[in-house]
Amino acid sequence: MNEQQQTLWDFMRQQSDKLWEQTIQHIGLTFISLFIAVLIGLPLGIFITRRKQFSGAILGIAGVLQTIPSIALLGFMIPVLGIGAKPAIAALLLYALLPIIRNTYTGIIGVDAAVKEAAVAMGMSKWQVLVKVELPLAMPVIFAGIRTATVITVGVATLASYIAAGGLGEFIFGGISLNNTNMILAGAIPAALLAILFDFLLSRLQKLNIQKLKTAAATLPLLLILLSSFYFLPDAYGTKLKAGFTPEFMGRQDGNVGLQSKYGLKIHTVVISDAVMYKAAYEKQLDVISGYSTDGRLKAYGLVILDDDKHIFPPYYAALIIREDALKKFPELEKTLNLLSGKINDSIMTALNYKTDYLHQSPERVAKDFLVSNKLWKPEQSGSDGMVRIGSKIFGEQYILANIYSMLIKGYTNYGVATKTGLGGTKICFDALTNNQIDFYPEYTGTGLLAILHPSPKTIDSLTPSPDATYNYVRDEFKKKYNIKWLKPIGFNNSYALMMRRSQAKELNIKTILNLKRYLESR
Amino acid sequence: MIKVEHLSKHFGKIKAVDGISFQVQEHENLILLGTSGCGKTTTLKMINRLIEPSAGKIAIDGKNIFDQSPEVLRRGIGYVLQNNGLFPHYTVAENISVVPQLLKWDKKRTEKRVEELLEKLHLSKDCLHVYPNELSGGQQQRVGLARALVADPPVLLMDEPFGALDNVTRAKIHVEFKALDELKRKTIIMVTHDVQEAFELGDRICLMDKGKIVQCGTPSELLFNPHNNFVKGFLAHQRLQLEFKTIRLRDIWKWLPPQLSKGGAFDLSWDVILWDVLEQFKFNASETVNITNKENKEEKSASFEQLMSAFYQYKKQEAHE
Ligand SMILES: Nc1ncnc2c1ncn2[C@@H]1O[C@H](COP(=O)(O)OP(=O)(O)OP(=O)(O)O)[C@@H](O)[C@H]1O
Ligand SMILES: [Mg+2]
């Protein structure tokens, strides 16, 4: 435990620059959104106290907005506002709106009718009644609303990192995808502390007596503006192109860390979620992104992969891994499975992924169409000679492969097939294989190397430049350690890659990462 | 002078106020009296346009109030609310200074006036900077009155100003109220459902029922010349007390015996009401009192029995008229 804390502390110290920047961004985002939310919510709240017939509709809409899942709301924002600060602020302020409108409304409605009447009877105008009587008396309730909104906003602002708006979410989500607890905590703890701190400060403000509250209410806007301006402090340097990398890519040796150390690539980088990254590149919000080389969106959005001259991205050749005893049990299996080897290259796999991910065809149909067009398809045989169990991880490409193999086995042998698709991540799939729950599943050489074998960094460095060396290494080690056989590579490589829009890459004549670096450094 | 003509207010089907007319003379104190829900508050609020009437006319000093902006109108009318309606976020001083602020008085003038009123209303200066919730109900009531009086408006509307007070405090405030010089220069309409209060403070009383005025007149007119059984019934169970409070020694002068010997325990003016005379007999009923006729300085004296007998003769005569 102690060690854990120690290393967390170390991590935070090491990354103090980033941590500081993210915290500042987080505060800035929170308060810009809050400031605008107050600017909109307060008058709206007042408005519905005057026109009660609108109160139901406006509170209803604000309530519905709040029930939209944050990520979905951020998603809706992108087509309209692009990526970065604008959509993040817009989404955050929509969340903050409900408590502010509602509390303004209930606060003002709750002011003693006799007191309001007295104000009117003294000869105050409507405006005077509002500023001299209603708002001051509703202030504690309105403050409570702003307080709620603040805490909500601090929390939701972590999601801003999905759309390249920065904030502490970069550490949190980077940490989650890298399975790095210290990184998660380095983001989560400051975020929680911010929420507690702001809540505490506002609660102090709320408890001030009404007299002092007048001055407090006057200073609040200034304070909000000041804190909001934090957001604009960083973002000092820009380059000709803008890159968007996933939180995971940012933290990986075979990701941004390698790009910087091995290529010395200096590019203005924002952190963004995999879910919106491709589209953002397509819409020219980003110029360079980190993607997977066989992702269907590559085709959908007209992107090209830049060659990795220095081989910092280890090859992720796909091949089946199968237990030796299964091969013995089903003698015809290896021959049948190898029917596919070399048949699917990167662009074919991308095209297949495109069909399921973007044209929303079922994996069965895509599998059958593929086999038919390659003249590999045969009708089903009896399936009476025992049951082969196929596994797959939980994403589209693996579903397609599982279906193709299933059809091959049924067509070319007398074996029956049971598929266990959607076995989560690498660890679950591999455990199922070694524990004789499944007989084989498609795996990637890079994953086998980095996630299962965990060799020394030196070995990794020596292997990764060569796809064949990597394949040979994992094949030999798996055989030795687990008695599992790597069949021949299927033919495609699903590794990390840098991508650009095809048109832009052509225009700037960028084909490789070194081209990109040269372009960035040129004047 | 306030003139109300054919004033009505309908809330949907409810006729809260139904075609009433009355006048209040300058410096007169008119009481709107009636049971709960008879339309007193509604009537009062129409006079400073807190409620817009469905029909009818209201003029103050001959000027139609609907020709003025409501804000300006209200700044010239003091208003005391049923539950005082003080601003909880203002100190006493700030509460009282609301109207001067709206009228843009300078600070010195406001301060001076606030202090003057505090003194007149027997509030200590320590109250100035406390908030209303730190005051007793009676003190709050006085602050409410001060707030209404501060700009010295010629007209004062009061909605059950002493409604929330206990009897002892109320009696005390009544005494102060009657003694307050500020109020003598004002035209006042005051709402109450307390018959005693109405008789004690009112120059004239409008008795209302179901949105209509049943009878409008001086206390003794209501008491001795009720227009109908409703008026009679309304006053019935406090009748004796009301009579004692309405009738003055001058009213029964002619039935009092001439002075035989000057030896009574007290000297009284003939303006004193019977109630107060009876107070004097509280401790010794066998005493006699000396009474002076203010007009010709004639003196008479009477014992308790003689006073009572004169009182009954007066009533008999009133009833025959
Ligand atoms: N805003 C309103 N909407 C509908 N009805 C109303 C409204 N205000 C008053 N009324 C009705 O008008 C009638 C007269 O009300 P008002 O307040 O004038 O009575 P009141 O004589 O002042 O009674 P109380 O002695 O209880 O204060 C009542 O029946 C009441 O229900
Ligand atoms: Mg009333």
Side-chain angles (χ1 to χ4, degrees):
Chain A
M1 189 63 209
N2 202 15
E3 201 181 348
Q4 169 88 13
Q5 276 171 359
Q6 189 57 41
T7 54
L8 170 63
W9 182 239
D10 284 347
F11 180 88
M12 288 169 91
R13 262 209 324 231
Q14 256 170 32
Q15 305 273 340
S16 66
D17 277 0
K18 258 194 191 167
L19 184 62
W20 184 236
E21 183 186 321
Q22 290 182 14
T23 310
I24 297 271
Q25 283 176 338
H26 207 94
I27 297 174
L29 266 182
T30 304
F31 283 96
I32 292 178
S33 317
L34 212 56
F35 182 63
I36 304 176
V38 171
L39 237 44
I40 298 174
L42 200 66
L44 217 52
I46 294 169
F47 171 75
I48 57 176
T49 62
R50 306 292 131 120
R51 297 273 137 72
K52 293 216 179 61
Q53 68 267 33
F54 295 116
S55 66
I58 287 181
L59 288 173
I61 293 170
V64 167
L65 282 176
Q66 202 155 48
T67 63
I68 301 176
S70 339
I71 302 204
L73 190 60
L74 289 174
F76 293 146
M77 292 291 161
I78 292 172
V80 193
L81 295 171
I83 59 166
K86 269 187 278 170
I89 291 170
L92 288 178
L93 90 87
L94 288 181
Y95 281 113
L97 228 37
L98 178 66
I100 295 176
I101 298 178
R102 191 181 46 205
N103 283 38
T104 305
Y105 177 72
T106 46
I108 289 179
I109 291 290
V111 173
D112 185 357
V115 172
K116 272 190 239 184
E117 187 164 66
V120 177
M122 299 295 109
M124 289 191 190
S125 65
K126 278 181 185 154
W127 175 251
Q128 286 167 329
V129 173
L130 179 68
V131 277
K132 285 176 186 256
V133 178
E134 289 177 307
L135 282 182
L137 288 175
M139 205 43 84
V141 184
I142 297 176
F143 256 82
I146 295 178
R147 213 175 127 190
T148 314
T150 309
V151 176
I152 293 175
T153 312
V154 171
V156 180
T158 54
L159 296 174
S161 63
Y162 272 141
I163 51 171
L168 289 161
E170 289 187 6
F171 271 160
I172 298 178
F173 296 106
I176 290 174
S177 38
L178 292 170
N179 200 12
N180 180 340
T181 315
N182 286 331
M183 198 174 195
I184 299 176
L185 291 179
I189 292 175
L193 288 179
L194 283 183
I196 295 170
L197 178 74
F198 292 143
D199 189 48
F200 171 74
L201 290 179
L202 284 169
S203 79
R204 291 293 300 266
L205 224 51
Q206 199 181 345
K207 283 204 193 87
L208 291 179
N209 68 31
I210 289 170
Q211 196 66 25
K212 289 193 192 128
L213 206 60
K214 282 184 208 161
T215 30
T219 51
L220 191 70
L222 286 176
L223 201 72
L224 282 178
I225 293 175
L226 188 76
L227 289 168
S228 306
S229 63
F230 273 22
Y231 190 69
F232 298 105
L233 286 180
D235 214 24
Y237 74 103
T239 51
K240 290 185 218 170
L241 300 177
K242 189 168 172 188
F245 296 154
T246 61
E248 180 180 0
F249 187 83
M250 288 298 283
R252 281 180 82 126
Q253 189 58 44
D254 56 329
N256 192 37
V257 181
L259 275 181
Q260 299 208 352
S261 61
K262 300 232 172 102
Y263 280 99
L265 190 72
K266 282 203 181 57
I267 183 164
H268 173 48
T269 306
V270 294
V271 177
I272 189 165
S273 144
D274 160 77
V276 295
M277 182 176 64
Y278 294 90
K279 188 138 191 248
Y282 171 71
E283 284 171 351
K284 304 190 183 167
Q285 307 278 345
L286 296 172
D287 303 304
V288 180
I289 61 170
S290 63
Y292 292 100
S293 54
T294 58
D295 197 296
R297 290 172 289 193
L298 204 61
K299 185 175 158 81
Y301 293 131
L303 305 175
V304 285
I305 294 173
L306 304 185
D307 280 345
D308 174 17
D309 324 63
K310 298 197 172 174
H311 303 287
I312 64 161
F313 304 131
Y316 282 69
Y317 275 105
L320 292 182
I321 56 176
I322 184 164
R323 277 199 329 281
E324 292 281 0
D325 58 307
L327 286 174
K328 288 202 185 85
K329 189 172 162 198
F330 304 108
E332 289 183 53
L333 197 55
E334 184 166 2
K335 185 176 74 196
T336 313
L337 296 178
N338 275 336
L339 281 172
L340 205 63
S341 71
K343 286 282 190 314
I344 303 181
N345 63 18
D346 288 4
S347 61
I348 294 174
M349 194 65 239
T350 306
L352 297 179
N353 283 333
Y354 172 72
K355 283 185 186 172
T356 52
D357 292 352
Y358 275 80
L359 305 180
H360 299 293
Q361 299 176 358
S362 71
E364 289 90 339
R365 178 172 159 208
V366 175
K368 186 167 175 189
D369 287 351
F370 170 79
L371 288 175
V372 168
S373 66
N374 282 278
K375 304 203 166 53
L376 285 169
W377 195 81
K378 278 192 185 176
E380 240 173 81
Q381 299 190 20
S382 70
S384 53
D385 282 1
M387 198 61 100
V388 182
R389 295 159 303 169
I390 307 179
S392 93
K393 295 185 197 176
I394 192 158
F395 53 89
E397 180 170 295
Q398 294 249 334
Y399 289 133
I400 299 173
L401 291 175
N403 275 290
I404 292 178
Y405 285 115
S406 164
M407 288 175 191
L408 282 176
I409 294 170
K410 286 176 187 164
Y412 287 81
T413 71
N414 251 330
Y415 308 136
V417 177
T419 47
K420 294 192 177 175
T421 51
L423 286 175
T426 303
K427 183 161 169 45
I428 299 175
C429 250
F430 188 69
D431 285 350
L433 185 68
T434 51
N435 292 320
N436 197 10
Q437 303 288 312
I438 55 176
D439 296 312
F440 70 86
Y441 76 90
E443 188 53 281
Y444 307 90
T445 52
T447 312
L449 183 72
L450 297 174
I452 297 174
L453 292 174
H454 301 294
S456 68
K458 231 173 108 189
T459 319
I460 296 175
D461 275 355
S462 70
L463 291 172
T464 50
S466 159
D468 289 342
T470 310
Y471 176 80
N472 291 339
Y473 179 83
V474 293
R475 185 191 60 199
D476 297 345
E477 291 294 311
F478 268 58
K479 170 103 187 143
K480 243 190 287 174
K481 279 194 180 153
Y482 309 109
N483 205 21
I484 285 173
K485 179 162 185 178
W486 282 77
L487 298 187
K488 290 185 196 156
I490 302 169
F492 68 92
N493 174 16
N494 185 5
S495 73
Y496 269 133
L498 287 195
M499 307 171 182
M500 293 180 70
R501 280 184 304 284
R502 189 181 294 279
S503 53
Q504 189 183 36
K506 205 165 179 185
E507 189 184 310
L508 302 177
N509 200 17
I510 297 173
K511 292 196 177 105
T512 68
I513 298 178
L514 280 176
N515 290 163
L516 174 66
K517 177 176 148 84
R518 210 160 296 138
Y519 171 75
L520 287 170
E521 284 166 2
S522 69
R523 309 215 162 210
Chain B
M1 193 190 73
I2 305 169
K3 193 169 177 185
V4 172
E5 288 175 285
H6 309 297
L7 191 65
S8 292
K9 178 69 193 181
H10 300 173
F11 295 108
K13 279 191 179 154
I14 304 174
K15 293 182 176 172
V17 174
D18 193 10
I20 62 170
S21 304
F22 62 87
Q23 285 194 15
V24 194
Q25 302 305 324
E26 190 132 12
H27 302 174
E28 191 185 24
N29 189 356
L30 180 88
I31 307 279
L32 295 180
L33 177 67
T35 49
S36 188
C38 70
K40 308 180 295 289
T41 299
T42 310
T43 305
L44 202 65
K45 284 182 182 171
M46 284 193 278
I47 295 170
N48 67 358
R49 297 185 62 185
L50 284 177
I51 294 177
E52 295 290 326
S54 313
K57 285 190 209 160
I58 303 173
I60 297 181
D61 289 332
K63 273 193 283 182
N64 181 355
I65 64 164
F66 301 104
D67 291 342
Q68 310 169 33
S69 98
E71 283 86 26
V72 173
L73 172 77
R74 288 172 193 143
R75 286 171 202 172
I77 300 179
Y79 186 62
V80 182
L81 282 88
Q82 199 155 354
N83 307 308
N84 82 51
L86 293 178
F87 302 125
H89 59 307
Y90 283 180
T91 60
V92 167
E94 289 169 326
N95 259 291
I96 301 177
S97 321
V98 167
V99 180
Q101 236 188 8
L102 296 175
L103 294 172
K104 306 211 164 59
W105 285 14
D106 66 57
K107 233 178 156 183
K108 273 259 170 59
R109 182 176 169 201
T110 311
E111 258 170 40
K112 224 177 112 201
R113 176 66 177 146
V114 170
E115 279 177 24
E116 180 189 14
L117 271 175
L118 280 192
E119 208 177 292
K120 283 187 182 171
L121 291 170
H122 307 288
L123 285 161
S124 94
K125 270 192 178 178
D126 305 335
C127 291
L128 273 177
H129 300 291
V130 303
Y131 288 89
N133 62 1
E134 299 165 58
L135 298 177
S136 75
Q139 286 172 317
Q140 290 179 9
Q141 211 57 257
R142 287 164 214 246
V143 176
L145 189 58
R147 185 174 64 172
L149 290 175
V150 64
D152 204 9
V155 175
L156 191 60
L157 306 178
M158 307 174 90
D159 195 350
E160 308 205 20
F162 313 119
L165 302 180
D166 64 277
N167 287 337
V168 176
T169 316
R170 186 171 348 177
K172 209 172 132 214
I173 291 198
H174 282 171
V175 174
E176 290 171 14
F177 186 85
K178 282 189 281 190
L180 204 61
D181 60 340
E182 300 251 347
L183 295 173
K184 304 215 166 94
R185 323 182 228 120
K186 301 214 176 304
T187 307
I188 301 175
I189 302 182
M190 182 168 151
V191 163
T192 183
H193 58 251
D194 178 352
V195 182
Q196 292 288 344
E197 188 168 87
F199 275 69
E200 208 162 306
L201 302 180
D203 295 323
R204 280 191 309 132
I205 298 171
C206 274
L207 181 60
M208 293 180 66
D209 182 39
K210 295 184 191 124
K212 289 197 155 80
I213 294 181
V214 187
Q215 185 172 0
C216 202
T218 61
S220 67
E221 277 168 359
L222 257 68
L223 207 49
F224 301 112
N225 279 314
H227 280 184
N228 59 21
N229 284 336
F230 177 82
V231 182
K232 214 183 265 175
F234 200 85
L235 307 177
H237 57 281
Q238 306 184 60
R239 182 156 198 104
L240 190 61
Q241 197 182 349
L242 293 174
E243 286 173 353
F244 285 146
K245 284 191 172 170
T246 316
I247 298 170
R248 294 166 194 278
L249 287 173
R250 63 195 298 172
D251 298 324
I252 57 170
W253 182 258
K254 63 179 176 189
W255 292 284
L256 291 174
Q259 190 171 43
L260 302 174
S261 62
K262 184 164 167 85
F266 327 99
D267 291 316
L268 294 171
S269 146
W270 74 343
D271 285 331
V272 175
I273 55 172
L274 275 187
W275 182 264
D276 290 344
V277 182
L278 298 185
E279 289 266 295
Q280 308 286 352
F281 283 109
K282 221 178 328 191
F283 303 108
N284 197 344
S286 66
E287 295 282 357
T288 57
V289 293
N290 306 322
I291 305 151
T292 314
N293 179 334
K294 263 194 183 164
E295 278 164 13
N296 59 11
K297 305 292 176 219
E298 188 190 346
E299 294 200 358
K300 289 190 173 184
S301 58
S303 68
F304 181 77
E305 286 78 14
Q306 286 165 329
L307 278 172
M308 285 299 109
S309 136
F311 167 70
Y312 284 116
Q313 277 169 310
Y314 170 82
K315 273 180 59 177
K316 219 183 272 167
Q317 180 210 317
E318 283 289 309
H320 282 288
E321 266 174 17

